[in-house]
Amino acid sequence: MIRTAHAAIRTAEPDDAPYLLNFYRQGPRAALLDGRREPMAPTLSDLRELLGRKEALQGQFYAVEDLEGEVRGFCSLRGMNPEASFGEFTLLLEESGYDTALAVDAYQFIEKRAFGNLHLQRLLAHALQEELAWRDFLSAQRFHEAGTFREAFFGGGKFHDIHVYSLWV
């Protein structure tokens, strides 16, 4: 567990599945799309199994707690490609959570891991058009919009664009 000034960040565990399921129930989010960028509707047992897998246990998916020990969200560094020297950053918080010091602490944890420990050169992040707070957060952390997948998937009765953000060391 890593303690910061405003958060505790630890490897996510199967017991965190109910918290993660709440994010799936709130509607589409770019971080919750599968590898084909399609929405998923996992069950609680699906998420428990996912969080118990070797990849999660090896520290690629993290729970973000406030200082009182309540899970407030999740962050990850996924899809790492050592040859191309990049990885994808995700941060799942309530919409109002992106404007907090807890969000910045979670990002700085991932940034240090990506650029310092893993020696990546670039972070990518994805955001739906509707994820305004997440997009503002990425811009505040020096990410630049690098392109858009137009009408990339259909969910919630409409097509969604996925914006790609990029940050180089």
Side-chain angles (χ1 to χ4, degrees), residues 16-26 32 41-45 47 51 74:
D16 295 322
Y19 299 101
L20 184 55
L21 185 60
N22 286 333
F23 287 105
Y24 280 96
R25 291 179 175 159
Q26 294 173 9
L32 298 176
T43 65
L44 184 59
S45 61
L47 293 175
L51 294 174
F74 298 89

Side-chain angles (χ1 to χ4, degrees), residues 26-165:
Q26 294 173 9
R29 307 268 298 261
L32 298 176
L33 301 176
D34 69 11
R36 297 170 298 186
R37 300 287 181 219
E38 294 181 3
M40 298 185 309
T43 65
L44 184 59
S45 61
D46 292 338
L47 293 175
R48 283 187 196 281
E49 180 183 334
L50 174 76
L51 294 174
R53 286 188 187 157
K54 183 178 175 184
E55 305 85 50
L57 296 174
Q58 287 180 336
Q60 295 178 19
F61 193 72
Y62 304 93
V64 179
E65 299 178 345
D66 62 20
L67 295 178
E68 286 77 42
E70 284 292 316
V71 175
R72 295 296 179 199
F74 298 89
C75 63
S76 72
L77 185 56
R78 66 184 187 186
M80 288 178 282
N81 183 334
E83 290 178 8
S85 197
F86 73 87
E88 181 185 353
F89 162 57
T90 67
L91 179 60
L92 281 169
L93 297 170
E94 295 295 329
E95 195 73 9
S96 62
Y98 291 108
D99 194 24
T100 66
L102 183 135
V104 173
D105 283 2
Y107 166 69
Q108 289 174 344
F109 165 76
I110 292 292
E111 180 185 52
K112 180 179 178 185
R113 179 161 164 67
F115 297 142
N117 300 21
L118 299 172
H119 307 291
L120 300 178
Q121 298 297 309
R122 182 180 185 195
L123 283 179
L124 298 175
H126 296 88
L128 301 181
Q129 181 70 30
E130 299 83 5
E131 292 181 279
L132 299 177
W134 172 229
R135 294 175 67 200
D136 289 345
F137 177 82
L138 290 169
S139 294
Q141 305 312 312
R142 304 177 332 272
F143 280 78
H144 298 282
E145 193 163 348
T148 303
F149 295 107
R150 300 278 178 216
E151 298 183 351
F153 80 92
F154 187 82
K158 67 179 192 170
F159 283 97
H160 298 267
D161 293 345
I162 299 176
H163 297 267
V164 180
Y165 287 82

